[in-house]
Amino acid sequence: MIRYLKGLTIESMIDLKGTLTEAEVRSCSIQNVELKIERIHSVSNAAVQLPFLVEDAARSEQEVEESQGTDRPFPRLGQELRLDNRWIDLRAPANNAIMRIQSAICQLFRESLYSQGFVEIHTPKLIAGESESGAGVFTTDYFGTTACLAQSPQLYKQMAISSDLDRVFEIGP
């Protein structure tokens, strides 16, 4: 089983079944139990060479800059590379924390509005035609039909209010 695990690449996804057993382990953060592996299966093997490592994305610009004069400088990760591989970039602790904080803020916002009798609605984001004056309309192909990005949910909120949903809200980007 160890040989199988050594053959997996970094960031591969596995399915593991095991049993927690009491143990004294000094080399890990959890020191009173260990996992006795019963079965392991590779769900998805990561590429041998990833675009960058989570550790690279987690480094500050200052750390990268200070390493440039050494024999092993840290790589500089450009914005395009990070955005093209967002699934790795979001695993960096700072980026992950931003997502969690945004989620917590939205949850508190929702809870406050729910407690005041509001109903959350979800208005369309793609519509068949222009929703406003036509200035600055963003269009895209939607399954062979031209669609426009809705500029404002105001019309849909007004329709919801006129259909006896007295207090409505929507959380959007």
Side-chain angles (χ1 to χ4, degrees):
M1 190 174 308
I2 298 294
R3 184 178 296 153
Y4 176 75
L5 289 171
K6 284 184 176 181
L8 294 173
T9 53
I10 294 174
E11 301 295 330
S12 290
M13 188 178 296
I14 61 168
D15 182 19
L16 184 137
K17 181 179 180 187
T19 306
L20 283 178
T21 58
E22 289 188 33
E24 282 190 39
V25 182
R26 298 187 195 275
S27 60
C28 296
S29 58
I30 305 293
Q31 298 182 345
N32 59 343
V33 294
E34 68 181 2
L35 184 62
K36 183 178 179 184
I37 299 173
E38 298 166 9
R39 184 189 73 213
I40 189 164
H41 171 72
S42 175
V43 176
S44 176
N45 290 327
V48 174
Q49 181 67 41
L50 295 172
F52 58 88
L53 299 175
V54 175
E55 294 81 20
D56 295 334
R59 289 191 183 94
S60 69
E61 183 60 36
Q62 181 180 352
E63 287 177 279
V64 173
E65 187 62 38
E66 289 172 355
S67 75
Q68 296 307 303
T70 67
D71 58 337
R72 296 192 67 188
F74 296 133
R76 291 189 187 275
L77 304 180
Q79 183 177 20
E80 188 173 343
L81 176 66
R82 292 176 83 126
L83 291 175
D84 285 346
N85 299 280
R86 193 72 170 139
W87 62 277
I88 300 174
D89 193 47
L90 285 176
R91 294 191 56 212
N95 294 338
N96 197 281
I98 290 168
M99 300 298 262
R100 292 179 187 279
I101 290 168
Q102 286 176 336
S103 175
I105 290 169
C106 286
Q107 181 180 355
L108 291 172
F109 186 70
R110 280 186 178 98
E111 288 171 2
S112 174
L113 290 174
Y114 287 150
S115 72
Q116 297 174 51
F118 281 79
V119 174
E120 184 173 7
I121 63 171
H122 302 280
T123 62
K125 305 303 179 250
L126 289 177
I127 55 177
E130 300 170 3
S131 62
E132 304 278 331
S133 65
V137 173
F138 296 96
T139 61
T140 186
D141 178 66
Y142 185 73
F143 299 102
T145 303
T146 300
C148 299
L149 184 63
Q151 293 178 320
S152 170
Q154 191 60 38
L155 173 64
Y156 302 103
K157 289 180 183 177
Q158 289 171 340
M159 287 192 296
I161 290 169
S162 68
S163 65
D164 292 334
L165 295 173
D166 294 335
R167 305 176 93 189
V168 299
F169 75 97
E170 179 174 32
I171 298 177

